[in-house]
Amino acid sequence: MTRQCLQATANAKDTIAYGTRIVGGVSPGKGGSTHLDLPVFNTVEEAMKTVRPHVSAVFVPAQFAAKAIIESIEAEIPLVVSVAEHIPVHDMLRVHEILRTQSKTRLVGPNCPGIIAPEQCRVGIMPYKQYQRGSIGIVSKSGTLSYEAVGATTAAGLGQSIVLGMGGDLLPGTTLADGLRLFFEDEETKGIIVIGEIGGEAELRAAELIREYRQLTPRPKPIVAMVAGKTAPLGRIMGHAGAVLTTRDMPADIKAKALEDAGAVVVPHPGVMGVAMKKLLEM
C-alpha cells in the first residue's frame, strides 16, 4: 500500500513492474476512487480493514510524514517505510514515543532508500535493475553506498538476499544492529555487509552485537564493513541530517576500528566488497 502523490505514482508503476503486489493507496479526500486500477482510501485505517496490507510505503513531504507514519502505526501495519528526508526532529521524537508503546509495527527510515528482497519485493526508491537475488544481506546508513555494495556483490556473482536502508537521519526507526539481527537469523543470507558513516553511534552498537554474535555462534557468517567520512571536516553536514561529525561523535576511523576489533573485515570502499566477501565465503 502506498500514499498517493506524483512521486508515489511513479514509484508504484516501477514497483508493480518489478513484481511487487500493491493493493491500494491512501489520499485523504479521494477515498472511493481508483488510481492505477487500484482502490484509493481516505485513511490508512480504512485501507487496513479493507485490503489488509503488510507494508505502508510513505511518500509524503517531510512536514507531513510523521502524521502518516503514526497513522500507519495506529492501524497496526507490520512494516512502515518512510523515504522522506528532513522530517523535523521533534516530529520523529513523537513517532518514537509511539513506537515504544507497541509491538505490531516496525519503521524503516526515514531518509532511506527503503528495503528490497531482489526479484521478490521492493518497497522504496532504490535503482532496482542492478539488484540480483542471492545470498548477501546489506544494511547501510547511506543509500548511495548501499547501491555501490549491491553493484559489487552482483558483479561478484553473489547477489543479495535483502538490502535494508537504515537511513541517515538522527532518529531512525531501524538501526544497523536491527539489520544485523535480521541477517543473523535469515537462512538465505550467507554473508553480511554493514555500511556506516559519521554521526551517531549506530556503528558502535553494531560492533558490540557482532562481537557477541561471533563469540556465541559456532560458525558465524562472514561480515564485511566500511565506515564513510574519514576525511569529513568537523561540523559540516555531509549530505543529510545525521551525517555530521561533531565534537561529541566518534570519528569514522574509530568506528571502523571498533567493527574490525569485533571481527568484521573492514574495507576502504564499497567497490571491493564483492571480492572481499567472495574470498571470505570460500575460506
Side-chain angles (χ1 to χ4, degrees), residues 208-269:
E208 292 172 1
L209 187 62
I210 290 169
R211 185 189 310 280
E212 179 183 338
Y213 166 71
R214 290 180 60 82
Q215 288 174 345
L216 298 177
T217 307
R219 292 178 58 85
K221 300 175 184 181
I223 300 172
V224 172
M226 73 160 285
V227 181
K230 290 184 179 180
T231 60
L234 187 68
R236 181 178 296 174
I237 294 176
M238 305 301 290
H240 46 68
V244 55
L245 179 64
T246 72
T247 56
R248 301 186 302 274
D249 291 319
M250 290 289 184
D253 57 348
I254 299 298
K255 291 181 175 183
K257 184 65 164 55
L259 288 163
E260 186 174 42
D261 289 346
V265 174
V266 176
V267 296
H269 61 84

Side-chain angles (χ1 to χ4, degrees), residues 54-107:
H54 299 104
V55 183
S56 174
V58 178
F59 288 87
V60 175
Q63 63 268 39
F64 308 117
K67 184 177 184 297
I69 294 170
I70 291 169
E71 191 179 346
S72 296
I73 297 169
E74 290 174 342
E76 297 186 347
I77 294 182
L79 179 64
V80 181
V81 177
S82 176
V83 302
E85 186 175 5
H86 301 308
I87 297 178
V89 173
H90 61 82
D91 285 0
M92 284 308 300
L93 285 169
R94 188 167 70 254
V95 169
H96 275 265
E97 190 67 27
I98 295 170
L99 283 170
R100 282 193 291 267
T101 67
Q102 56 83 52
S103 59
K104 300 289 187 181
T105 301
R106 170 172 292 280
L107 171 65

Side-chain angles (χ1 to χ4, degrees), residues 13-84:
K13 289 178 179 178
D14 285 343
T15 300
I16 291 169
Y18 193 68
T20 303
R21 184 187 175 204
I22 296 180
V23 295
V26 173
S27 187
K30 297 182 180 179
S33 63
T34 59
H35 186 63
L36 301 180
D37 295 323
L38 296 167
V40 178
F41 304 96
N42 285 313
T43 66
V44 178
E45 182 182 15
E46 181 185 347
M48 188 60 173
K49 289 178 179 177
T50 306
V51 293
R52 307 294 299 177
H54 299 104
V55 183
S56 174
V58 178
F59 288 87
V60 175
Q63 63 268 39
F64 308 117
K67 184 177 184 297
I69 294 170
I70 291 169
E71 191 179 346
S72 296
I73 297 169
E74 290 174 342
E76 297 186 347
I77 294 182
L79 179 64
V80 181
V81 177
S82 176
V83 302

Side-chain angles (χ1 to χ4, degrees), residues 1-2 7-23 36 54-59 79-81 83 108 112-132 147 161-165:
M1 183 191 69
T2 185
Q7 292 85 354
T9 296
N11 183 273
K13 289 178 179 178
D14 285 343
T15 300
I16 291 169
Y18 193 68
T20 303
R21 184 187 175 204
I22 296 180
V23 295
L36 301 180
H54 299 104
V55 183
S56 174
V58 178
F59 288 87
L79 179 64
V80 181
V81 177
V83 302
V108 171
C112 77
I115 182 170
I116 182 171
E119 301 172 28
Q120 300 171 79
C121 183
R122 169 189 188 254
V123 185
I125 59 172
M126 64 289 292
Y128 55 88
K129 291 185 179 180
Q130 67 170 341
Y131 289 69
Q132 181 182 82
Y147 308 154
S161 53
I162 298 174
V163 183
L164 170 63

